Amino acid sequence: MASPELFRSSARPAFVAASTPRAIHDALVGDEQAEFARRYGQEMASAAESLDLTGVLAVLATFSAIAETTQRHGADDHLRMLAQVENLQQGHAVPTIGAAEHRAEINAKLGR
């Protein structure tokens, strides 16, 4: 049986599960936050009508992966990547490096 102390505590958990909508939203940057809020709201409204959470779960899975990548690489790098994608979509040239140079950078970071 659970301790009565457990139920009296008003302390909040130290972290929020990465799959909660709030945690996902807060981990996103730039326009992705607004896009998540819009799509999540649409799917929640649809789920309220259809009683089917499939769309909600799909939005959570998609944006959870984006949030995880953003956290892993950092917000600045993620925003830089989004800017590169936009430049490519508009037909602008973007700076690139060759595979050999990239391998050399990786090896240098690994001390090889």
Side-chain angles (χ1 to χ4, degrees), residues 2-110:
S3 163
E5 309 305 320
L6 181 65
F7 298 109
R8 288 191 201 122
S9 175
S10 63
R12 295 173 56 127
F15 61 91
V16 178
S19 62
T20 66
R22 172 57 56 201
I24 293 168
H25 176 271
D26 292 348
L28 297 169
V29 294
D31 294 340
E32 290 174 341
Q33 277 188 333
E35 178 69 10
F36 171 75
R38 184 184 67 74
R39 290 187 47 200
Y40 180 72
Q42 287 175 335
E43 292 299 336
M44 286 294 288
S46 177
E49 293 289 321
S50 68
L51 301 178
D52 181 1
L53 290 173
T54 304
V56 173
L57 296 175
V59 168
L60 290 174
T62 298
F63 282 92
S64 179
I66 295 168
E68 182 181 327
T69 300
T70 302
Q71 288 182 321
R72 187 178 317 119
H73 297 285
D76 290 339
D77 284 347
H78 187 73
L79 289 170
R80 197 170 15 265
M81 180 271 307
L82 291 174
Q84 293 286 63
V85 169
E86 187 173 336
N87 283 333
L88 284 170
Q89 288 174 335
Q90 293 176 358
H92 301 289
V94 296
T96 61
I97 62 170
E101 185 179 347
H102 191 60
R103 263 196 268 347
E105 287 179 8
I106 292 170
N107 286 333
K109 288 180 179 180
L110 293 174

